[in-house]
Amino acid sequence: EILKNSPDTVFLVEANKSLISELKIHLGAPILELNEGPNSFVMFSKEKITDIKIHNETIPKFISAKFPNFTFIGIHAMDPLTPTKRQMNLKYFLQINDFINSLEEEKFLLVGDFNNTIYSGTFRKHFEKYFEKNNYTWGTYKPWYIPIDHALANFPLNIAITKKLESDHKGLLIKTQ
């Protein structure tokens, strides 16, 4: 599914080893790979990307990378199923929002598993102004889907949902031009 669209960049959260191995065959070595349990990332890109950074000051971590026309931010928030995790997500989203504000007027693309919907007060507080539409991506083993994976930006995006990947999430296919 990923490869048939000939993407310039692939960013995966919760990617499993077999999918990463298959993508390495077709896309080469990843420019970023972080394997820390459920909060893992992998990124492949044909584009010129500079200033790739893993932000260790947050729990969980997030990444940023400078593309020619925007800054990419990749996240994977914790599930909000306990009071402690909800508090950690509040802090995490505040830190991500602070990072976005530090970009000033620069274009950015924020992508990932937020483990929150637009209906969450935490999500609305920090990200509603960048929200365009719900993408029902999680719950692929059930008869319903929940919109917890988001692509948010301060410029127009074209977003489509892919078929189920080797995960419990469907993917987002994002076109920035």
Side-chain angles (χ1 to χ4, degrees):
E1 179 74 19
I2 293 169
L3 296 173
K4 81 175 191 179
N5 291 296
S6 301
D8 289 331
T9 301
V10 173
F11 173 72
L12 299 170
V13 176
E14 295 181 20
N16 65 43
K17 289 181 171 109
S18 66
L19 180 57
I20 293 171
S21 294
E22 183 180 340
L23 289 173
K24 283 179 181 179
I25 292 167
H26 299 283
L27 302 173
I31 60 167
L32 175 111
E33 192 169 357
L34 176 67
N35 293 307
E36 293 188 358
N39 297 99
S40 61
F41 303 114
V42 65
M43 185 179 215
F44 299 86
S45 189
K46 298 175 196 170
E47 293 195 50
K48 182 180 180 203
I49 299 174
T50 59
D51 198 22
I52 301 167
K53 182 176 179 188
I54 298 171
H55 295 263
N56 295 311
E57 67 275 12
T58 63
I59 299 174
K61 298 172 183 175
F62 73 94
I63 66 156
S64 63
K66 298 274 187 187
F67 280 70
N69 298 321
F70 59 88
T71 295
F72 176 89
I73 307 160
I75 74 164
H76 187 195
M78 293 184 185
D79 66 69
L81 301 179
T82 67
T84 301
K85 288 181 178 181
R86 281 193 296 278
Q87 282 302 111
M88 291 176 81
N89 274 350
L90 283 170
K91 184 176 178 182
Y92 184 59
F93 289 155
L94 178 62
Q95 290 169 313
I96 292 164
N97 198 45
D98 287 347
F99 179 77
I100 289 169
N101 289 335
S102 75
L103 299 173
E104 297 174 357
E105 298 300 313
E106 185 178 333
K107 289 182 179 179
F108 71 87
L109 170 60
L110 172 61
V111 176
D113 181 349
F114 286 67
N115 271 314
N116 275 264
T117 70
I118 184 64
Y119 313 111
S120 154
T122 302
F123 182 97
R124 285 194 312 270
K125 178 179 178 181
H126 297 292
F127 307 115
E128 184 175 39
K129 63 185 166 187
Y130 310 115
F131 180 79
E132 285 189 27
K133 73 174 197 172
N134 273 323
N135 299 291
Y136 292 85
T137 54
W138 184 78
T140 56
Y141 301 114
K142 299 171 179 66
W144 64 87
Y145 298 94
I146 301 171
I148 60 173
D149 302 298
H150 302 284
L152 309 173
N154 59 353
F155 60 94
L157 298 175
N158 182 347
I159 304 170
I161 298 175
T162 68
K163 292 180 182 175
K164 183 175 101 37
L165 302 172
E166 295 180 23
S167 163
D168 59 350
H169 295 255
K170 291 183 177 184
L172 298 176
L173 179 62
I174 304 158
K175 295 193 181 197
T176 58
Q177 299 177 19

